[in-house]
Amino acid sequence: MNNAKMTYFEKEDILHLTMTNEPEVRSVEISPNITAELNETGELIGIEIINASSFIRDSIL
């Protein structure tokens, strides 16, 4: 997990969490606006949150 990073795209309101630099082979929608990104062996390599500002705000409140 040394390559873990978080990137926020303000214009699109997308939060992208990456655990590794491996290429994404497929993705799975966990819930509306949250997608898990998987490598070729099915391991989690990242998470994408759409409408991140409202998700984070709702989670904190």
Side-chain angles (χ1 to χ4, degrees):
M1 267 217 188
N2 294 338
N3 296 326
K5 70 177 184 176
M6 177 175 59
T7 307
Y8 178 64
F9 300 95
E10 187 174 0
K11 185 176 179 182
E12 297 85 1
D13 194 20
I14 295 174
L15 180 63
H16 192 249
L17 307 168
T18 305
M19 279 64 94
T20 177
N21 290 330
E22 293 179 70
E24 176 187 341
V25 174
R26 69 184 193 105
S27 61
V28 176
E29 184 177 28
I30 297 173
S31 66
N33 299 328
I34 301 177
T35 303
E37 299 168 343
L38 309 172
N39 66 10
E40 67 179 28
T41 60
E43 296 174 319
L44 180 67
I45 59 169
I47 297 174
E48 182 178 77
I49 302 172
I50 300 171
N51 297 323
S53 61
S54 63
F55 177 80
I56 300 298
R57 182 186 66 237
D58 293 346
S59 295
I60 293 171
L61 295 176

